[in-house]
Amino acid sequence: MHEPPLSLDDDKFHEECGVIGLWNVPDAAAVTALGLHALQHRGQEATGIVTYDGKQFHSHRGLGLVGDNFSDAKVIACLPGTVAVGHNRYATTGGTILRNVQPLYADFEFGGFAVAHNGNLTNAHVLHRQLVRRGCLFQSTMDSEVFVHLIAISLYSTVVDRLIDALKQVVGAYSLVALSNEALLGVRDPLGVRPLVLGRIGTGWVLASETCALDIIGAEFVRDVEPGEIVVINDKGVNSIKPFGRSTERFCVFEYIYFARPDSITEGMPVYTARKRIGAELAREFGVEADVIVPVPDSGVPAAMGYAQESGIPFELGIVRNHYVGRTFIEPTDHIRNLGVKLKHSANRAVLAGKRVVLVDDSIVRGTTSKKIVEMVRQAGAKEVHMRISSPPTTHSCFYGIDTPERGQLLASNHSVEEMAAIIGVDSLAFVSIDGMYRALGKPGRDPVHPHYCDACFTGDYPIALADQADNSDRQLSLLSAGS
Ligand code: AMP
């Protein structure tokens, strides 16, 4: 059979994922499954758990939701042990195939090693090519597999030294949770773009993408893993290593805007509070005379509450969401996406008829959702429709682990706000300013030299080198030359 060599596919490159790891927790697999369930919003395409029982590693990975794969007691019974790592995957295009489901597992000379990755390596293509030339046989098309090969060929002897050796060669955004025969390991990239928290559960430990995963398993939040920090957890406790020296933090601001669950706490700030505060800031910056504030559920709800409280205009559920369809964003074509919006949202005529409505959503990506919703709201009899967005215009693609389309497909990348308002069909459209967003998050504004967050999707200021784009993709080269 002739098959081209596996390559890391550009279009499959932007993954949003959730990770969790447990050390010294009875029934680790069942507890991990619960944690993954709380992190389901970070990835719905595939899920997996690897456990270690002191002698052997055990693994179960499958396509679909956590509940589809880990509700069966027989599956959990096949995953014995008190240590585990788990992963939820969300990939953008193409068939998600089983070989792309994490955690990845490999047998090394030092023993077994399982790793779960949230983020995106920006020099994975370059490294992939070098590794293939050296004889490494890739089993998946995931950038995360690069870690496994770099660790395998490292000349250092301990797992931790090999991991550090590998990390020094990769560039990108990553939160990793890994398991060896001796320890549970957690890593955040030097800028801390993706989140990772440490918690205590009984006499054991937990690492997870978000605090909502700690809450569901009854774990206590200890602290965020720091940017550039490796935590090594074993029966002696937690050892912290900082192999990269000091660098400034650039946590992903889009986690606050859209991605994280509202009941999670990041950098000491509840995501829910952050969203409400951005909504209030939006009301101060772009107030409008209206009768009702209506969120686009679910992601626009906290910002709409903040907007309503600040403006004194009543908050009403003018759009009802059907919870039994997936996120429209994962649908593959524009045609299906258009249908998807209708499947997901419907207008509540009782609230909208004859009213001046302010619709609040967290972001406009392609504009498909907004256009359909505005149409629906008008059909339900709204007199005026104003749209307020609780993030600045999304003008640039993310290369650090949030699924965004190519730059050309981002409505704000090639249209002014006025043009966007005409396309979406609203009487007025406004986005919170970048400084307003920073202020809502407790910062004085955006420091142009040392911005606190990674806000590349709003500013084009990419804090981590995009080696692969410069290296080999025409599409992304043109993306870079277009002003990013
Ligand atoms: P669009 O129709 O492409 O403009 O999508 C905008 C909607 O998608 C907003 O309501 C957001 O809540 C949601 N959204 C924004 N970013 C993402 C993302 N990375 N993945 C899935 N949904 C998203």
Side-chain angles (χ1 to χ4, degrees):
M1 187 178 69
H2 178 73
E3 241 194 287
L6 283 180
S7 72
L8 295 159
D9 182 336
D10 295 315
D11 285 326
K12 292 181 187 137
F13 233 57
H14 314 291
E15 287 159 23
E16 308 172 330
C17 299
V19 295
I20 181 166
L22 297 179
W23 181 265
N24 189 23
V25 179
D27 291 328
V31 179
T32 301
L34 271 180
L36 287 175
H37 176 68
L39 296 172
Q40 190 73 82
H41 61 289
R42 298 184 73 87
Q44 298 110 43
E45 290 202 349
T47 184
I49 297 177
V50 173
T51 61
Y52 181 57
D53 64 8
K55 291 192 207 80
Q56 246 183 305
F57 285 81
H58 307 269
S59 154
H60 183 83
R61 304 180 302 166
L63 303 180
L65 301 176
V66 178
D68 300 337
N69 285 283
F70 294 109
S71 305
D72 186 346
K74 283 196 234 104
V75 172
I76 298 290
C78 294
L79 297 167
T82 56
V83 292
V85 287
H87 187 266
N88 283 339
R89 173 180 162 85
Y90 180 144
T92 50
T93 59
T96 300
I97 37 178
L98 205 50
R99 68 169 183 233
N100 277 353
V101 181
Q102 297 195 31
L104 289 169
Y105 176 80
D107 279 311
F108 291 135
E109 51 177 316
F110 58 77
F113 187 80
V115 61
H117 168 213
N118 169 215
N120 191 42
L121 305 184
T122 54
N123 68 340
H125 281 280
V126 175
L127 289 174
H128 176 258
R129 217 175 17 244
Q130 290 167 1
L131 288 164
V132 168
R133 259 187 232 128
R134 293 180 65 172
C136 295
L137 301 173
F138 276 73
Q139 302 293 310
S140 78
T141 63
M142 287 183 288
D143 61 343
S144 320
E145 195 182 335
V146 163
F147 285 116
V148 175
H149 292 287
L150 290 173
I151 291 167
I153 62 175
S154 172
L155 299 175
Y156 286 89
S157 50
T158 69
V159 185
V160 173
D161 286 342
R162 282 170 181 248
L163 177 64
I164 295 172
D165 189 23
L167 293 173
K168 289 199 164 159
Q169 297 170 69
V170 302
V171 180
Y174 49 83
S175 282
L176 297 181
V177 174
L179 196 60
S180 75
N181 303 45
E182 288 155 15
L184 173 69
L185 306 156
V187 191
R188 253 180 110 188
D189 69 74
L191 299 188
V193 174
R194 303 260 69 88
L196 191 65
V197 297
L198 173 69
R200 196 85 168 109
I201 172 166
T203 54
W205 297 94
V206 53
L207 290 164
S209 294
E210 291 181 38
T211 58
C212 64
L214 307 187
D215 296 336
I216 194 173
I217 62 174
E220 188 189 318
F221 172 76
V222 175
R223 64 178 175 86
D224 288 318
V225 174
E226 288 174 30
E229 180 182 9
I230 300 177
V231 289
V232 183
I233 301 174
N234 54 28
D235 288 339
K236 289 190 217 124
V238 178
N239 185 21
S240 163
I241 304 169
K242 292 182 183 153
F244 302 110
R246 282 188 72 83
S247 57
T248 26
E249 180 167 356
R250 296 290 293 273
F251 179 60
C252 166
V253 76
F254 206 72
E255 292 271 353
Y256 281 119
I257 299 293
Y258 168 79
F259 201 45
R261 229 171 74 160
D263 54 334
S264 286
I265 300 175
T266 311
E267 294 182 306
M269 159 97 72
V271 172
Y272 176 75
T273 308
R275 290 182 187 165
K276 268 186 83 176
R277 288 174 56 162
I278 298 173
E281 186 68 31
L282 188 56
R284 284 190 289 274
E285 287 189 331
F286 297 102
V288 58
E289 276 199 24
D291 305 308
V292 279
I293 307 297
V294 170
V296 178
D298 290 326
S299 45
V301 172
M305 290 177 75
Y307 195 103
Q309 283 171 12
E310 182 66 22
S311 63
I313 304 170
F315 172 94
E316 297 287 359
L317 295 178
I319 298 167
V320 175
R321 173 162 169 197
N322 181 326
H323 283 269
Y324 306 99
V325 286
R327 288 179 173 184
T328 50
F329 209 72
I330 63 174
E331 301 293 354
T333 67
D334 277 345
H335 173 64
I336 300 295
R337 231 188 328 268
N338 290 349
L339 290 177
V341 174
K342 283 196 218 145
L343 291 176
K344 192 163 142 186
H345 295 111
S346 50
N348 183 1
R349 189 172 288 274
V351 164
L352 302 168
K355 300 281 171 46
R356 294 171 300 170
V357 177
V358 179
L359 283 175
V360 181
D361 202 358
D362 66 286
S363 56
I364 292 181
V365 182
R366 294 181 173 89
T368 330
T369 313
S370 314
K371 196 166 185 278
K372 283 282 155 196
I373 283 181
V374 171
E375 227 170 77
M376 232 183 247
V377 168
R378 287 209 191 274
Q379 275 167 12
K383 211 162 59 183
E384 286 174 25
V385 185
H386 303 274
M387 187 132 207
R388 296 292 178 267
I389 303 294
S390 62
S391 64
T394 305
T395 48
H396 290 72
S397 306
C398 178
F399 296 95
Y400 306 138
I402 296 278
D403 163 34
T404 44
E406 276 180 47
R407 192 172 173 200
Q409 290 184 40
L410 299 171
L411 196 63
S413 75
N414 42 26
H415 293 97
S416 66
V417 174
E418 293 71 34
E419 287 168 345
M420 290 171 82
I423 292 168
I424 290 167
V426 283
D427 297 287
S428 79
L429 171 67
F431 295 79
V432 74
S433 70
I434 189 100
D435 283 327
M437 177 181 78
Y438 270 79
R439 274 195 303 275
L441 294 169
K443 311 288 176 281
R446 182 179 196 270
D447 179 336
V449 185
H450 299 294
H452 186 81
Y453 297 105
C454 174
D455 52 22
C457 52
F458 306 130
T459 59
D461 173 6
Y462 289 100
I464 302 172
L466 302 177
D468 287 339
Q469 276 62 48
D471 180 61
N472 65 359
S473 159
D474 288 347
R475 171 175 69 77
Q476 290 172 338
L477 262 183
S478 65
L479 194 149
L480 286 178
S481 61
S484 59

